[in-house]
Amino acid sequence: MLSCGERSGRGQVTTADADLGRGGFDDPVARERLVAVLTETASAYARRTGCAARTGGRVEGVGVTTTRRDHKPVADATGSCAGVVDARTAARWGVHTAREITRDPAPLENCALGGRSGTFLYGFTASYGPSAREARRRLDHRSDDHSPRRAGAYELTARCPGAAGTALFQAETLHDEDDPKSAAPDVDHEGLRAALQRFAERSAKKHGCGAVEGV
């Protein structure tokens, strides 16, 4: 996702679909090769179309969660989950693990807080550009269908420059399909809203966005 100027919504998005072979996304070298091709393609198109985007350098290392084992103790979180909940809140919520991405700004940022074995309990997501529009479309579709609102689901927004457009930040309790008996305890609604505020403000600041606001 490249911003072609400071005006909100002005930018370009390039995507890639690929068969990465037997290892798939578990192979870090294959991930890096795919991202290298994608960034070169996006940069070349931006130059041809007069998009004055800052493209940076070559991406080295594409750290993504590819298995259920890719979690860490919540106290060791240094990326998107860092600072979302303090130790006291984590203990009260039964949170022991975190799945996260790096601190670097991305079109889609997420943080999943889980139980001792990594079972999903709470999820936080920051969506920008097309990711935000798709997330908003799903919310609107759910409202049109009068689908019940998931317990402990909250949203915030922020106006951002360039391709990021209007960002959407979401927090919700998660359902673990592999462990249906495991679920978040009685939802601390005030605490969950406060955690979303912290998550959203940190993400918005990385993207140069304006103030975070309620939906």
Side-chain angles (χ1 to χ4, degrees):
M1 187 169 73
L2 300 178
S3 294
C4 301
E6 290 298 313
R7 184 161 58 87
S8 184
R10 180 171 171 74
Q12 297 177 355
V13 176
T14 308
T15 62
D17 294 312
D19 181 351
L20 298 184
R22 183 177 299 177
F25 252 74
D26 291 342
D27 182 352
V29 175
R31 294 201 301 263
E32 290 177 28
R33 288 173 177 167
L34 177 61
V35 171
V37 172
L38 181 61
T39 53
E40 286 298 322
T41 301
S43 300
Y45 184 75
R47 289 192 296 270
R48 288 201 308 272
T49 58
C51 171
R54 295 191 298 271
T55 56
R58 180 183 175 87
V59 174
E60 296 181 358
V62 184
V64 296
T65 297
T66 59
T67 73
R68 289 180 60 84
R69 297 184 300 276
D70 290 342
H71 57 72
K72 64 180 71 175
V74 66
D76 294 344
T78 58
S80 55
C81 288
V84 174
V85 294
D86 57 27
R88 181 177 297 180
T89 301
R92 191 172 69 251
W93 288 4
V95 168
H96 299 275
T97 58
R99 287 181 177 84
E100 62 177 359
I101 66 167
T102 66
R103 286 179 178 268
D104 298 327
L108 183 63
E109 302 170 0
N110 51 56
C111 161
L113 302 179
R116 291 187 183 277
S117 60
T119 52
F120 301 119
L121 295 177
Y122 299 95
F124 299 84
T125 305
S127 304
Y128 296 86
S131 295
R133 291 192 290 274
E134 176 61 20
R136 171 54 59 191
R137 187 194 65 78
R138 290 195 299 269
L139 287 174
D140 292 343
H141 180 71
R142 187 183 304 171
S143 298
D144 291 342
D145 285 350
H146 304 290
S147 300
R149 182 183 179 87
R150 185 188 292 269
Y154 297 100
E155 299 95 34
L156 296 170
T157 63
R159 191 72 169 171
C160 308
T166 299
L168 180 64
F169 309 98
Q170 298 170 285
E172 63 180 352
T173 56
L174 299 177
H175 172 69
D176 196 319
E177 294 181 356
D178 293 332
D179 189 2
K181 294 183 179 180
S182 175
D186 292 340
V187 180
D188 172 12
H189 293 277
E190 182 177 350
L192 188 57
R193 286 194 295 267
L196 175 60
Q197 187 76 30
R198 289 190 293 271
F199 174 81
E201 287 178 351
R202 175 174 293 178
S203 180
K205 183 178 180 180
K206 290 188 300 184
H207 287 262
C209 304
V212 173
E213 301 176 344
V215 175

